[in-house]
Amino acid sequence: MSSITRRRALGVAAGAAGAAAGLAAAGSATAAAPRATAAEPVPASFDEVYQGRRIKGGPSHGGDHHGGHHGGGYSVTIDGRELHVMRNADGTWISVINHYEPVATPRALARAAVRELQGAPLVPLTLA
């Protein structure tokens, strides 16, 4: 015997409405993100001191720790230590420091990592 209560019916309806709202919000956020194209140029190189830390970025030549395959041929260092970076399909960039906060450029990524480190040294990423 099926005994659907008003509470269950309202719970199912609320869950469906919440899921639809979440999908709509995700769709609008995705639409606002920049899209990468096959012909998109490599970001400009940079070398600066930001909040007392030397940050550098530029095209990698395969000599870095990961061969540049995650960063799309681009490497970033903070005080001479490699910051593992990765370019997303939508053209944004993430790192091991701020993996869930994509940014538009590698320079912005390096600056965000410096702020997040709060003066702590960058420890090399080792995969054991």
Side-chain angles (χ1 to χ4, degrees):
M1 175 167 112
S2 176
S3 60
I4 293 184
T5 64
R6 198 175 348 187
R7 180 175 290 173
R8 279 192 184 164
L10 288 173
V12 169
L23 289 174
S28 66
T30 302
R35 297 284 177 204
T37 63
E40 190 167 322
V42 175
S45 297
F46 61 92
D47 182 356
E48 66 181 49
V49 175
Y50 180 74
Q51 294 186 357
R53 311 286 293 268
R54 168 139 334 256
I55 58 174
K56 291 183 182 182
S60 62
H61 304 290
D64 64 334
H65 175 67
H66 297 287
H69 67 273
H70 289 302
Y74 202 88
S75 64
V76 174
T77 61
I78 298 175
D79 295 334
R81 294 190 176 187
E82 180 187 5
L83 173 66
H84 182 81
V85 299
M86 198 167 84
R87 189 172 203 166
N88 293 323
D90 65 357
T92 59
W93 294 80
I94 58 174
S95 74
V96 296
I97 303 295
N98 42 7
H99 195 77
Y100 298 105
E101 299 171 6
V103 296
T105 65
R107 181 189 306 253
L109 184 66
R111 288 176 174 178
V114 166
R115 286 190 304 271
E116 190 68 29
L117 285 168
Q118 299 179 4
L122 180 63
V123 179
L125 176 67
T126 57
L127 303 173

